[in-house]
């Protein structure tokens, strides 16, 4: 097992390292060969580095960090993602669980859930901007909507997949509805809820980037990208993209870890599958 | 499996309750949105006064009007008479942006994304699931790329490709690709594995193994991935069109403008609602199509 993991790690480092070296070579050649003046629809863009070499990326990263732009943007955008995640899950999970338990509620809500499932959350952005303004609220609500739909479906599916035998056994032993929810439905639905939260987290990041691209204010990653794209300053774009990528990766890793912790009771044998 | 689930009410009752809930909510909305005709909103307390305006909650009949106007926008204005209207729907009609035309353009983009991104994703998933060496080398790179939201790339992609068809399509293809890889990978690696061992023991190999064992075993997972990819493709398409494109349903939603100043024109909620409902219906129809086709293709799976 240990040797297997070591080989995996070694190969991962090798391929990512090879990619990094390749980019380094390509950018060194590219910065000499690629045009720095680009015709863009209506005018020329001056001094564009299509493939910025590592030193200009490093320079840019140091500047963005030292000036506080990047740290503040990261904080603001991450806060939005998590506020949206908390609000959305707070609506989606209870609704999904109760839909799975109450048949009449399910029938009543079903058309609306389907409607929101097939409505791309981003399409709601103009409507939310109109209703809640261009400020914080419309961004967070947009993320919350995307999250709520996904977590609702996850919680619903999780609670529906609880074997009927468990429920009937508990009922015949005299368990109250609250106890059944707490001790049977909730733990059984938890893996699905966590899985849906992980998907929702990815969606939340997609949503926040676009919500921030439109009419945003400065400390935010989406607007950083939009501004850098307008100039255009490729090193800034690259640092922004890498930062978002790393944040998404970090969030996903944490979500996976939480999922593993929350579903530890499911593993019957100590050996990893 | 069916026995294990909680009981469900009969189908007729489900349909009836669902229909009733839709009718009730639409009726309630119609009453609420028309309330401004009866009560003077300026007399009401603050939050209600702000909400109960036709500019915020468009009356149902106005939404229907907007629908009719948008569907007929291609034919209505006779050439030559050029009346400049500053509002959302006026601008769209002026540019002859129709609802069906926008939907068609967006659907086309989604389909291209699914076709190109889907086949690349399935290919990558197959390779990664099939060969452990490929998995160990390529998976880390895939995870790095997957972490970047496709829409974050558009400003950079525009510098390379200019502002055009490829620039709009690339993020959609990329989004579909990253979504389809994982279900295919799991289908091939985890599910097909048992059958592959059995088939190998019986002497199958190469093309036979791939076409008769691996692909059928993985196909339910690939199809599930494609259904999710459909939702992601629509999301990305709408996002790209809102930010950058000059046509499509996303453009209709924001009513045009230069990409950097989109949404500065006060949007018309009636147009936006029409666009959203159309998106939901098309998304639902396409999903149903994939579902039905998928059930046909994988009839042998126990349901």
């Amino acid at each position: 097992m240990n040797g297997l993991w070591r080989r995996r790690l070694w190969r991962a480092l090798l391929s990512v390292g090879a990619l990094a070296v390749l980019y380094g070579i390509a950018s060194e050649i590219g910065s000499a060969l690629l045009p720095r003046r680009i015709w863009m629809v209506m005018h020329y863009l001056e001094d564009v580095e299509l493939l910025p070499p590592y030193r200009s990326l490093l320079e840019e990263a140091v500047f963005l960090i030292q000036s506080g732009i990047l740290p503040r943007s990261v904080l603001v955008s991450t806060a939005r993602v998590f506020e949206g995640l908390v609000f959305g899950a707070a609506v989606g999970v209870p609704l999904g669980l109760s839909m799975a338990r109450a048949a009449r509620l399910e029938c009543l809500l079903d058309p609306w859930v389907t409607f929101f499932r097939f409505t791309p959350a981003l399409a709601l952005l103009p409507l939310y901007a109109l209703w809640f303004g261009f400020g914080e609220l419309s961004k967070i609500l947009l993320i919350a909507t995307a999250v709520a739909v996904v977590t609702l479906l996850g919680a619903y599916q999780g609670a529906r997949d609880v074997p009927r035998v468990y429920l009937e056994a508990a009922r015949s032993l005299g368990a109250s509805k609250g106890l059944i929810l707490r001790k049977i439905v909730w733990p059984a639905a938890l893996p699905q809820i966590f899985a849906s939260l992980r998907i929702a987290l990815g969606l939340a990041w997609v949503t926040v980037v676009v919500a921030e691209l439109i009419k945003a204010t400065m400390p935010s990653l989406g607007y950083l990208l939009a501004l850098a794209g307008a100039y255009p300053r490729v090193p800034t774009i690259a640092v922004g993209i890498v930062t978002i990528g790393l944040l998404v990766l970090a969030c996903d890793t944490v979500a996976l870890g939480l999922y593993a912790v929350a579903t530890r009771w499911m593993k019957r044998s100590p050996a990893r599958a | 499996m069916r026995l294990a689930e909680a009981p469900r009410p009969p189908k007729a009752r489900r349909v009836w309750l669902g229909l009733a809930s839709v009718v009730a909510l639409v009726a309630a909305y119609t009453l609420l949105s028309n309330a401004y005709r009866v009560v003077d909103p300026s007399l009401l307390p603050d939050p209600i006064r702000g909400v109960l305006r036709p500019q915020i909650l468009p009356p149902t009949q106005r939404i229907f009007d907007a629908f009719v106007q948008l569907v007929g926008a291609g034919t209505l204005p006779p050439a030559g008479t050029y009346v400049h209207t500053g509002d959302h729907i006026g601008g769209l009609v002026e540019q002859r942006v129709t609802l069906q035309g926008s939907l068609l353009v967006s659907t086309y983009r989604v389909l291209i994304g699914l076709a190109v991104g889907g086949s690349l994703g399935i290919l990558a998933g197959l390779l990664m699931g099939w060969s452990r060496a490929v998995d160990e080398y390529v998976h880390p790179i895939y995870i790095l790329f997957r972490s970047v939201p496709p829409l974050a790339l558009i400003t950079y992609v525009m510098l390379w490709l200019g502002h055009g068809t490829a620039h709009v399509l690339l993020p959609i293809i990329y989004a579909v690709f990253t979504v389809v890889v994982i279900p295919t990978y799991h289908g091939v690696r985890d599910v097909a594995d048992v059958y592959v061992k059995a088939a190998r023991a019986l002497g199958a190999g190469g093309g036979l193994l791939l076409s008769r064992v691996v692909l059928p075993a993985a196909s339910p997972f690939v199809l599930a991935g494609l259904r999710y990819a459909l939702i992601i493709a629509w999301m990305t398409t709408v996002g790209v069109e809102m930010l950058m494109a000059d046509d499509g349903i996303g453009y209709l939603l924001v009513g045009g403008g230069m990409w950097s100043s989109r949404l500065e024109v006060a949007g018309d909620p009636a147009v936006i609602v029409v666009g959203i409902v159309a998106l939901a219906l098309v998304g639902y129809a396409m999903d149903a199509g994939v579902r039905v086709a998928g059930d046909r293709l994988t009839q042998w799976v126990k349901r």
Side-chain angles (χ1 to χ4, degrees):
Chain A
M1 195 53 99
N2 208 357
L4 262 178
W5 278 102
R6 197 177 303 154
R7 195 187 69 192
R8 277 196 89 109
L9 187 70
W10 170 238
R11 287 187 164 177
L13 286 176
L14 199 68
S15 64
V16 173
L19 197 70
V21 171
L22 260 177
Y23 178 80
I25 296 170
S27 64
E28 288 303 327
I29 299 171
S31 58
L33 288 182
L34 288 168
R36 298 182 73 87
R37 219 168 111 89
I38 300 177
W39 175 250
M40 181 58 64
V41 192
M42 278 181 282
H43 52 92
Y44 274 107
L45 302 173
E46 299 289 343
D47 206 27
V48 183
E49 288 180 281
L50 280 176
L51 284 178
Y54 282 121
R55 55 186 133 62
S56 59
L57 285 179
L58 195 69
E59 219 171 85
E60 191 64 28
V62 168
F63 164 72
L64 284 174
I65 291 169
Q66 273 181 352
S67 61
I69 295 173
L70 195 64
R72 264 184 289 144
S73 302
V74 167
L75 277 182
V76 168
S77 296
T78 313
R80 281 181 186 147
V81 164
F82 278 95
E83 279 165 43
L85 194 73
V86 168
F87 280 130
V91 173
V93 172
L95 213 55
L97 288 179
S98 40
M99 265 178 79
R101 305 288 355 123
R104 201 167 298 155
L105 184 73
E106 187 201 333
C107 298
L108 285 176
L109 286 182
D110 195 44
W112 301 105
V113 172
T114 311
F115 176 78
F116 276 104
R117 193 170 145 210
F118 291 108
T119 304
L122 290 175
L124 294 169
L125 180 59
L127 202 58
Y128 279 18
L130 203 68
W131 283 347
F132 310 111
F134 286 102
E136 209 58 25
L137 190 61
S138 59
K139 294 186 182 65
I140 291 172
L141 280 180
L142 192 71
I143 299 168
T145 310
V147 171
V149 176
V150 175
T151 49
L152 188 154
L153 290 170
Y156 171 78
Q157 205 53 53
R160 274 212 74 89
D161 289 349
V162 178
R164 197 155 92 186
V165 197
Y166 293 2
L167 298 172
E168 276 167 5
R171 223 172 283 146
S172 69
L173 290 170
S176 67
K177 277 194 164 174
L179 192 68
I180 289 179
L181 188 69
R182 252 196 347 269
K183 289 287 178 182
I184 298 176
V185 176
W186 173 252
L190 207 56
Q192 287 261 28
I193 293 175
F194 265 100
S196 70
L197 269 176
R198 196 180 151 214
I199 295 173
L201 198 58
L203 272 184
W205 275 106
V206 174
T207 315
V208 83
V209 168
V210 176
E212 287 176 350
L213 276 174
I214 290 180
K215 258 238 163 167
T217 42
M218 189 40 215
S220 73
L221 284 170
Y223 195 57
L224 183 71
L225 279 181
L227 263 188
Y231 271 104
R233 279 192 59 82
V234 179
T236 319
I237 298 177
V239 171
I241 289 175
V242 169
T243 309
I244 293 176
L246 289 179
L247 279 172
V248 174
L249 190 60
C251 285
D252 197 48
T253 312
V254 169
L256 260 184
L258 283 177
Y259 176 77
V261 170
T263 59
R264 199 154 42 184
W265 56 272
M266 285 172 73
K267 289 197 182 99
R268 305 262 146 73
S269 64
R272 272 169 164 255
Chain B
M1 281 309 276
R2 281 272 170 264
L3 268 182
E5 285 177 359
R8 257 184 161 148
K11 174 119 187 172
R13 213 173 116 78
R14 292 172 60 85
V15 172
W16 190 83
L17 271 171
L19 219 63
S21 122
V22 172
V23 170
L25 221 78
V26 170
Y29 178 81
T30 310
L31 286 180
L32 189 71
S33 58
N34 279 301
Y36 78 99
R37 293 166 191 272
V38 188
V39 211
D40 186 6
S42 58
L43 299 176
L44 296 169
D46 191 31
I48 305 175
R49 178 173 40 189
V51 171
L52 227 51
R53 286 181 299 149
Q55 294 87 356
I56 297 294
L57 288 183
T60 314
Q61 66 272 19
R62 258 203 65 213
I63 297 178
F64 191 72
D65 274 353
F67 171 72
V68 171
Q69 257 183 295
L70 283 174
V71 169
T75 53
L76 263 180
T81 53
Y82 199 80
V83 188
H84 184 77
T85 43
D87 63 341
H88 192 155
I89 193 159
L92 289 172
V93 171
E94 206 171 87
Q95 298 169 57
R96 306 197 175 186
V97 175
T98 59
L99 181 66
Q100 64 274 26
S102 308
L103 277 175
L104 207 65
V105 169
S106 299
T107 308
Y108 160 79
R109 288 187 177 131
V110 166
L111 287 178
I112 298 249
L114 278 181
V116 180
S119 29
L120 288 176
I122 290 171
L123 191 69
L126 267 178
L127 287 174
M128 277 160 60
W130 183 251
S131 147
R132 180 176 285 172
V134 172
D135 183 29
E136 285 174 353
Y137 283 119
V138 176
H139 211 127
I141 295 178
Y142 162 72
I143 286 176
L144 286 184
F145 277 95
R146 180 188 66 184
S147 300
V148 176
L151 290 167
L153 293 174
I154 46 179
T155 44
Y156 182 60
V157 172
M158 188 168 77
L159 295 178
W160 275 97
L161 301 176
H163 182 59
T165 315
H167 164 235
V168 174
L169 287 176
L170 206 66
I172 307 169
I173 293 170
Y174 181 87
V176 171
F177 169 80
T178 51
V179 166
V180 172
V181 170
I182 282 298
T184 313
Y185 167 74
H186 278 301
V188 173
R189 194 191 65 166
D190 301 337
V191 181
D193 194 48
V194 187
Y195 304 115
V196 168
K197 278 183 184 134
R200 275 233 170 96
L202 292 170
L208 187 67
L209 206 58
L210 190 73
S211 64
R212 284 306 174 88
V213 181
V214 174
L215 286 180
S219 57
F221 295 82
V222 176
L223 284 164
L226 278 177
R227 276 182 73 189
Y228 183 58
L230 194 63
I231 289 177
I232 295 295
W234 271 106
M235 174 112 168
T236 317
T237 305
V238 169
V240 174
E241 287 172 351
M242 283 200 324
L243 292 168
M244 294 280 185
D246 306 316
D247 48 5
I249 194 81
Y251 180 81
L252 183 135
L253 285 172
V254 293
M258 285 300 286
W259 71 270
S260 54
S261 61
R262 292 239 162 133
L263 276 191
E264 293 215 18
V265 185
D268 183 347
V271 178
I272 302 171
V273 170
V274 168
I276 290 172
V277 173
L279 268 172
L281 289 177
V282 174
Y284 180 76
M286 284 176 85
D287 180 76
V290 175
R291 201 178 57 217
V292 169
D295 285 358
R296 281 252 168 123
L297 280 172
T298 58
Q299 261 170 349
W300 40 270
V301 177
K302 265 183 246 153
R303 270 180 249 275

